[in-house]
Amino acid sequence: MLDALKQQPQDKILMLMQMFREDTRDGKIDLGVGVYKDPTGLTPVMRAIKAAEHRLWETETTKAYTGLAGDPAFAEALSGLILGPSADPARMSAIATPGGTGAIRQALELIRLAAPGATVWLSNPTWPNHPSIIRYLGMPMAEYRYFDAESRGVDAEGMLEDLARVERGDVVLLHGCCHNPTGANLTLAQWQAVIDLMLEKGAIPLIDIAYQGFGDGLEADAAATRLVVDKMPEVLVAASCSKNFGIYRERTGLLMAFGSPEGRAVAQGNLAFLNRQNYSFPPDHGARLVTMILTDPALRADWEAELEEVRNTMLGLRSQLAAELQRLSGSDRFAFIGAHRGMFSRIGASPEQVERLRTEHGIYMVGDSRLNIAGLNAETVPKLAEAIVAVGV
Ligand code: LMR
């Protein structure tokens, strides 16, 4: 049986991680996978997480199973953080999932159960694992324009033109904030136009929100998701705690489904069913830490303060890189780096230039020229800027 297996396509981001590890050159720079690194190159455990782990170690008396949907207190706390007053419990069903990817996977499985023929519309470009999972599940998919290669901003006109072809019941996958891989984001007015179009077409939004707090702040980054949940009758929201709580390997995520109060119990039952089919009970450790932090005022204040430091560090690196590129290139053509938000910016280098950055300069970024701003520090920014200009971007 095993002889019949064929090689699977490799994930571009994970492949790059491997290549970086195997590179023996001193001074190599990893701007590939989306992981925050402090100025010393470490991905730290956040202070509030350490404190919560300590407290949990002292107080946890059992590791027995939670509910199939995970601990309801986690769903309440995290949905409150993301949606504030928009998290209407009468409309919401939710399950804890293994990370944001688990939430996306379960959302897609829910869509396949409810509407097997529905097409899932993805931004071009999007996180490569989106189309990969959809293809694996055998679901129809289509793309809408998103990125304007010239301005490196959002092609809002193209996006609306393409979404005008959406059919009733189709699903539109949107990045709640900090678009991955481009760093270019819709304004709230543009979100409103997308909402109006989805309402007119009868489309269902699936929002992937994995970077809340990395763009313009916790509240601002959630504003678009709240608007969609408030304005639309049915919405799926897949959330990740990997980045903003720095608990990547704990696999902590939440899938929320908003619909009519009458349908809530059945939706909740289906979500729990999907957890049971795929892995039974969801992981609990990270969810418990997040719940503890969000419900304890002192821990929460400390977490918010540290997240704000992380966000400001990234904004500082963006300004430094944009200024350095302006100086070296003598032009404003890299100003978009300062305007992008979140961990990533797509800088618009060709695949050959990305390859040269890696082979000649030891700088690793994804082949579509997505660079992880959080992988930089004050010393590596000038090196990157020189290399970008040297390869002729
Ligand atoms: C990324 O886009 O780099 C992250 O979301 C990590 C991953 O799993 O790909």
Side-chain angles (χ1 to χ4, degrees), residues 11 13-14 32-34 101 127 180 211 243 344 370:
D11 184 283
I13 299 171
L14 303 188
V33 68
T101 307
W127 183 48
N180 178 5
Y211 299 90
K243 330 274 164 157
F344 307 116
R370 179 192 88 168

Side-chain angles (χ1 to χ4, degrees), residues 44-91:
V45 180
M46 293 179 88
R47 295 185 300 260
I49 288 288
K50 269 284 181 213
E53 281 188 319
H54 193 251
R55 197 179 295 175
L56 191 62
W57 181 77
E58 281 176 336
T59 56
E60 191 171 55
T61 51
T62 180
K63 293 279 187 192
Y65 294 124
T66 55
L68 262 186
D71 181 2
F74 169 63
E76 191 185 332
L78 190 62
S79 64
L81 174 75
I82 299 166
L83 295 167
S86 306
D88 176 2
R91 289 181 65 205

Side-chain angles (χ1 to χ4, degrees), residues 33-36 46 180 210-212 214 240-248 307 310 343-344:
V33 68
V35 169
Y36 173 77
M46 293 179 88
N180 178 5
Y211 299 90
Q212 187 188 1
F214 273 36
S240 169
C241 299
S242 298
K243 330 274 164 157
N244 53 6
F245 286 87
I247 48 173
Y248 305 85
L307 181 59
V310 165
M343 252 186 185
F344 307 116

Side-chain angles (χ1 to χ4, degrees), residues 162-241:
D162 289 348
L163 289 181
R165 294 187 284 116
V166 162
E167 297 199 357
R168 178 160 294 278
D170 280 357
V171 173
V172 181
L173 200 160
L174 298 151
H175 299 226
C177 63
C178 306
H179 185 266
N180 178 5
T182 66
N185 297 290
L186 295 168
T187 63
L188 275 184
Q190 289 167 334
W191 272 98
Q192 186 57 61
V194 171
I195 291 170
D196 291 343
L197 185 60
M198 289 192 295
L199 282 169
E200 184 194 318
K201 296 285 161 193
I204 293 134
L206 162 56
I207 300 186
D208 181 355
I209 179 157
Y211 299 90
Q212 187 188 1
F214 273 36
D216 291 310
L218 278 171
E219 291 293 305
D221 291 348
T225 306
R226 292 177 187 183
L227 194 65
V228 177
V229 169
D230 286 345
K231 295 280 167 74
M232 301 207 55
E234 288 193 340
V235 184
L236 300 175
V237 181
S240 169
C241 299

